[in-house]
Amino acid sequence: MALARPNPRWLARTRGLTSQVRAYSAPGDGTIPASKKKYIPTSGTYPLGFKAGSAHVGVKASNTRFDDLALIASDTPCAAAAVFTTNKFQAAPVTVSRDMLKKRSGNGIRAVVINSGCANAVTGKGGIQDALRMGLETDKCFETSTPGDDAPRSIVMSTGVIGQRLPIDKIVSKIPSAHYNLGSSHDHWLGAAKAICTTDTFPKLVSRTFTLPGSDKEYSIAGMTKGAGMIHPNMATLLGIICTDAPISAPLLQSALTAAVTKSFNSISIDGDTSTNDTVAILANGAAGGQEISSKDSEAYAAFENMLTSFAIDLSTLVVRDGEGATKFVTIRVTHAASYSDAKRVANSIARSPLVKTALYGKDANWGRILCATGYAGVDSIIPEETSVSFVPRDGSERLKLLVKGEPETVDEERAGRLLESEDLEIEVELSEKGGEEATVWTCDFSHEYVTINGDYRT
């Protein structure tokens, strides 16, 4: 009997899929794609009194040589604050770290310890004990324990596979190694940033200096983050650690971080999934001197919050640039909204639309999908007859208008195609002629590679 011939249309549609090659490196050979190397700093300015280090544990059996335990520590006890995931199934390190910061009112914190390869999420009471043990074992490196005080002074973070227990004995046995490897050089900070990566293709590290009104001191801030998938606001699997040598009280540090995260880490989306482990923490030790920021009404606080927001945007958008399988970095700006909340809701709706994201990957100027996502965002103040949609070129040239006040434009498809060839793309949606609020969300496209990565993530 003759074999049936394959359908030519099926062959055409699947030919490219059979030869898919992964674009991400961890935990494979560690090679960073050439297109991503420009995002890795070759030097940095790091805050006084902080050190970073890493060590190899082998949390995942497949990781036989890359560091997967990171430690960031202050020379002295310091103020700390954090923002955590709103997912109902919160991982053990989230629960332990949140409770610890609450108990200590954000004061007297010494370090952040992070493992990659296992999220320690949905692991029951045993997972809580493992997270506590990680924190307490880290504390021993600094001799900060107080008789009768059994709560850790170290923030604990974990990232990786959900539903599996940590190889906790292996991890705690290597915490002293990570402590021994602490240092203040750029290489130390970059090494720690590499150690927290999972499916990231490159380590994400940012540092800079700043000044504050009323002070002649120069301050430094540095941060690292990880994340490439399972990213969406509240929080969007993502970890972030920020350190500064500026003096600021713990309550105001929490206030500034919450405000900064709203317009940064909570304004990015890769795939619309909110993880169980998301945590962004900041430590401030005041090592650079100057008067402590203790009033929310002060010029110094306003300047600090603005600086931190800008810094957090730069750090968080690196996550989007490393979106799993992504080929485009997309800025979605919604303007002329009745409120910031309305603008943000529409931007998020567009950012998480699979149809919008796949059209962008296919370089298809299908603005109807953008409009559709705008319409189902659940915002009552949208006025269809006043809504406009445009592609905004990053080179400063004239925008490509797709819809103007509810009326479709004759689209120059050739120019649209050229714009969609770019790595960076901006979409602007104007909701009405009256509203004065706006919001920005950063996202990426969906490619075949995203399915490849997440189809076998556990292996």
Side-chain angles (χ1 to χ4, degrees):
M1 182 176 68
L3 294 174
R5 298 181 64 184
N7 186 309
R9 293 181 65 187
W10 181 85
L11 283 175
R13 294 172 65 181
T14 60
R15 187 174 292 118
L17 299 180
T18 59
S19 60
Q20 280 286 323
V21 178
R22 287 187 184 179
Y24 72 91
S25 57
D29 62 3
T31 301
I32 296 171
S35 63
K36 305 292 186 180
K37 291 181 179 179
K38 60 187 175 184
Y39 301 119
I40 305 173
T42 56
S43 63
T45 304
Y46 298 100
L48 298 174
F50 282 101
K51 295 182 175 66
S54 60
H56 174 256
V57 176
V59 174
K60 289 185 80 171
S62 58
N63 178 14
T64 59
R65 59 193 179 97
F66 296 111
D67 285 1
D68 50 2
L69 181 68
L71 182 63
I72 298 92
S74 173
D75 291 345
T76 58
C78 63
V83 177
F84 300 99
T85 180
T86 58
N87 193 305
K88 293 295 184 181
F89 291 93
Q90 296 186 350
V94 169
T95 299
V96 168
S97 296
R98 183 189 59 228
D99 291 350
M100 182 273 290
L101 287 173
K102 183 178 180 181
K103 178 179 179 178
R104 299 196 179 282
S105 300
N107 292 303
I109 310 306
R110 196 62 185 274
V112 181
V113 60
I114 316 105
N115 76 271
S116 61
C118 178
N120 190 12
V122 198
T123 46
K125 294 179 180 179
I128 295 292
Q129 292 303 313
D130 291 344
L132 282 168
R133 188 177 173 193
M134 275 184 68
L136 291 169
E137 290 294 327
T138 301
D139 287 351
K140 292 179 180 178
C141 297
F142 305 102
E143 299 179 352
T144 56
S145 59
T146 303
D149 186 356
D150 59 353
R153 292 180 179 271
S154 298
I155 296 171
V156 179
M157 300 183 186
S158 297
T159 182
V161 178
I162 295 171
Q164 296 181 4
R165 289 285 298 276
L166 291 174
I168 190 62
D169 290 337
K170 290 174 64 177
I171 290 174
V172 299
S173 72
K174 290 301 181 72
I175 288 176
S177 297
H179 178 259
Y180 179 80
N181 292 333
L182 285 175
S184 56
S185 73
H186 173 70
D187 287 342
H188 285 98
W189 283 86
L190 188 60
K194 290 178 179 178
I196 66 176
C197 291
T198 50
T199 59
D200 306 64
T201 67
F202 67 94
K204 301 161 184 67
L205 177 66
V206 177
S207 66
R208 66 178 55 155
T209 60
F210 64 97
T211 58
L212 293 172
S215 175
D216 60 355
K217 306 291 185 181
E218 182 177 70
Y219 300 106
S220 297
I221 186 169
M224 62 184 72
T225 188
K226 64 81 51 186
M230 198 178 278
I231 305 293
H232 191 69
N234 301 320
M235 282 279 304
T237 293
L238 179 150
L239 302 178
I241 305 97
I242 301 171
C243 300
T244 181
D245 52 19
I248 180 170
S249 68
L252 294 190
L253 191 62
Q254 182 66 64
S255 178
L257 179 65
T258 300
V261 164
T262 297
K263 295 186 176 181
S264 57
F265 288 96
N266 270 346
S267 291
I268 62 174
S269 181
I270 288 176
D271 47 23
D273 273 311
T274 298
S275 173
T276 56
N277 289 61
D278 303 328
T279 303
V280 175
I282 183 170
L283 279 64
N285 64 8
Q291 185 175 357
E292 181 182 71
I293 302 173
S294 56
S295 171
K296 197 170 183 179
D297 297 326
S298 67
E299 290 184 16
Y301 174 79
F304 182 85
E305 182 184 299
N306 289 336
M307 178 281 303
L308 183 59
T309 299
S310 174
F311 181 84
I313 288 172
D314 288 348
L315 191 59
S316 64
T317 50
L318 288 177
V319 174
V320 181
R321 291 202 177 276
D322 200 22
E324 289 174 342
T327 67
K328 286 181 172 49
F329 176 83
V330 185
T331 300
I332 300 173
R333 196 180 311 279
V334 177
T335 65
H336 296 93
S339 65
Y340 174 78
S341 176
D342 281 359
K344 185 76 168 290
R345 192 165 184 174
V346 171
N348 273 330
S349 182
I350 298 168
R352 70 188 306 170
S353 166
L355 290 180
V356 171
K357 295 161 84 69
T358 51
L360 294 174
Y361 173 65
K363 305 177 181 66
D364 179 9
N366 194 339
W367 58 266
R369 294 180 175 181
I370 299 170
L371 201 64
C372 185
T374 300
Y376 64 62
V379 173
D380 293 335
S381 61
I382 293 174
I383 303 174
E385 296 79 12
E386 297 181 5
T387 300
S388 300
V389 178
S390 303
F391 286 157
V392 182
R394 300 305 297 270
D395 61 6
S397 58
E398 186 179 358
R399 68 179 55 208
L400 179 62
K401 298 179 180 179
L402 307 171
L403 182 79
V404 177
K405 296 182 180 179
E407 295 291 335
E409 294 287 288
T410 300
V411 178
D412 183 343
E413 295 290 349
E414 183 178 346
R415 186 178 180 221
R418 290 197 303 271
L419 290 177
L420 290 170
E421 287 284 348
S422 301
E423 178 183 346
D424 286 30
L425 175 69
E426 181 175 328
I427 298 170
E428 182 172 305
V429 178
E430 301 173 67
L431 295 185
S432 73
E433 297 177 340
K434 300 176 182 178
E437 296 294 326
E438 65 177 75
T440 302
V441 167
W442 295 273
T443 190
C444 58
D445 56 349
F446 263 163
S447 70
H448 302 298
E449 183 64 14
Y450 178 83
V451 178
T452 301
I453 293 169
N454 286 282
D456 64 357
Y457 177 72
R458 293 200 302 167
T459 56

